[in-house]
Every structure is written in C-alpha cells, then in structure tokens.
Amino acid sequence: MVGLGIRDASGALPGRRRPDDEFPRLRMDLPLLPRYVVTVEPGIYFVPALIADAEFRQRYGDAVDWERAERMVDFGGIRTEHNVLVTDGEPQILTEQIPVAHADGWVPHGTS
C-alpha cells in the first residue's frame, strides 16, 4: 500500500460499516497481512475551522485543551511517517534509521 494514494489503499471489508460519529476517521480498515507495507502517520493538526466550531468544541470539550489549541493555530501541525512491513511476528519498521527529532534539540516554536 506504500506508493499508492492513501485513498487508493483505503476502504473496509465488504459488510463492514464505519460509525457515522467515528472520530478520528480511519482511512484504512482492513486486516493487516504479512508482506503488507503500510505507512503509519501519527500527527497533530490545528485546523482553524475546527477550533472555531462551537458544536465541535462542545462535543470534544473534555478531550481538548481549547485555549492551548487556539495558541497553536499559527503552528499548523506536524506528523511523523514510518513505513512498516507486516510480518508473521513483530512488525519491521523500514524507516527506523530516519531521525524523527532534530539532533540539536530544536523544538518548533510554541510547542514547549
């Protein structure tokens, strides 16, 4: 699935229905089989339209520090990507040698 657009590799098994209120929305809901290679992309994004949405804020009010989120809007967001090979045992992280932090300790403005 690496190399395909994420929506090309997305989907669910026939008969599986995603809940309407699912958050965050899964892009891929398939069993992972040995020899599959997938990209794992944990990240956080500060989307002005969501942060300003009163209904969204009420719905997730107990899970988000909204004042801090408002301060992070100008930052935008960040994500880390890893390519992972599914095996019969432990998964193999193919990109484990790629640094995910700055060696000099630099932290993006506003995140500390």
Side-chain angles (χ1 to χ4, degrees), residues 40-81:
V40 178
E41 302 175 335
I44 185 166
Y45 304 91
F46 300 95
V47 181
L50 292 177
I51 292 173
D53 185 305
E55 182 181 332
F56 190 81
R57 287 176 76 124
Q58 182 178 359
R59 185 172 187 179
Y60 299 103
D62 61 339
V64 177
D65 179 343
W66 293 106
E67 289 180 22
R68 189 166 190 189
E70 288 169 359
R71 293 194 307 266
M72 298 301 293
V73 166
D74 289 338
F75 173 70
I78 192 166
R79 83 169 174 228
T80 303
E81 295 185 15

Side-chain angles (χ1 to χ4, degrees), residues 27-109:
R27 292 183 177 154
M28 184 177 79
D29 185 16
L30 299 169
L32 297 177
L33 301 175
R35 297 181 52 200
Y36 279 13
V37 177
V38 297
T39 301
V40 178
E41 302 175 335
I44 185 166
Y45 304 91
F46 300 95
V47 181
L50 292 177
I51 292 173
D53 185 305
E55 182 181 332
F56 190 81
R57 287 176 76 124
Q58 182 178 359
R59 185 172 187 179
Y60 299 103
D62 61 339
V64 177
D65 179 343
W66 293 106
E67 289 180 22
R68 189 166 190 189
E70 288 169 359
R71 293 194 307 266
M72 298 301 293
V73 166
D74 289 338
F75 173 70
I78 192 166
R79 83 169 174 228
T80 303
E81 295 185 15
H82 282 293
N83 293 331
V84 178
L85 171 65
V86 179
T87 70
D88 288 322
E90 292 292 317
Q92 180 182 355
I93 302 173
L94 303 174
T95 51
E96 67 185 339
Q97 297 300 313
I98 299 172
V100 295
H102 291 276
D104 63 2
W106 177 80
V107 177
H109 175 71

